[in-house]
Amino acid sequence: LSVFSTCEILIMLVPVLLNVAFITLLERKVLGYIQLRKGPNKVSFVGILQPFRDAIKLFIKEVVVPYVSSWGLYIFSPGMMLVLILIIWCRAPFQELRYLSRFRVLLFIIFLRLNVYPLFLSGWASNSKYGMVGAVRGIAQAVSYEIRLAVIILAVMVVRMRISIHQVGNFGMVCFSVIFSPSVV
């Protein structure tokens, strides 16, 4: 990656992360008012700096890893999930691939599907049957919602964008061959 593309990626990701932080603040405020309490209002004027305080607290906290877990996978899998989610928001690495512009929605679906693997890895790395059961339940829920979302999106693409199912299948074969090509492995 060049310096320019790195700056583009940061310009795209920083507003997304700030948006998530302040939407979380809004959610906490609304829940506070629903429960007849103030919500987060101790940090600065009406709690506007609360997301930054939460971020600092998150980075200062002690990392707790179960004794019998696979430490590397247990730490790696949440980071992998975060990277996959942020790749969905960041389209900069795919600007060189002009032929993918029509199938950007399919790339969105593909990266959504890939988030199942870090979820499974985190449950498996905990070496606990309860962690594994929780991971399998999370995977089942994610897959069931993703199937519905994919069918709805593909139906809209076929009708609205005049893309045939044959083109979608060819795109899937191209992605499969790129991912599992001998040069990548």
Side-chain angles (χ1 to χ4, degrees), residues 17-34:
L17 294 174
L18 285 174
N19 188 18
V20 168
F22 283 104
I23 291 294
T24 305
L25 175 66
L26 176 70
E27 177 187 20
R28 290 175 64 189
K29 287 273 195 189
V30 169
L31 288 175
Y33 284 118
I34 287 173

Side-chain angles (χ1 to χ4, degrees), residues 119-179:
L119 186 59
F120 177 75
L121 276 177
S122 63
W124 183 63
S126 69
N127 285 337
S128 166
K129 61 183 174 184
Y130 300 111
M132 190 62 184
V133 168
V136 169
R137 286 184 66 197
I139 290 170
Q141 184 178 8
V143 167
S144 70
Y145 284 120
E146 286 171 7
I147 289 173
R148 293 178 192 154
L149 178 68
V151 168
I152 291 169
I153 288 175
L154 288 177
V156 170
M157 283 180 65
V158 167
V159 171
R160 181 82 174 144
M161 298 173 64
R162 293 183 174 83
I163 295 176
S164 68
I165 296 297
H166 181 70
Q167 288 175 320
V168 172
N170 287 342
F171 177 75
M173 290 305 294
V174 167
C175 285
F176 183 79
S177 63
V178 166
I179 291 172

Side-chain angles (χ1 to χ4, degrees), residues 56-75:
I56 291 169
K57 179 182 173 188
L58 179 69
F59 287 116
I60 291 175
K61 282 180 74 168
E62 178 185 359
V63 177
V64 178
V65 179
Y67 181 69
V68 293
S69 70
S70 300
W71 187 83
L73 284 177
Y74 191 79
I75 299 298

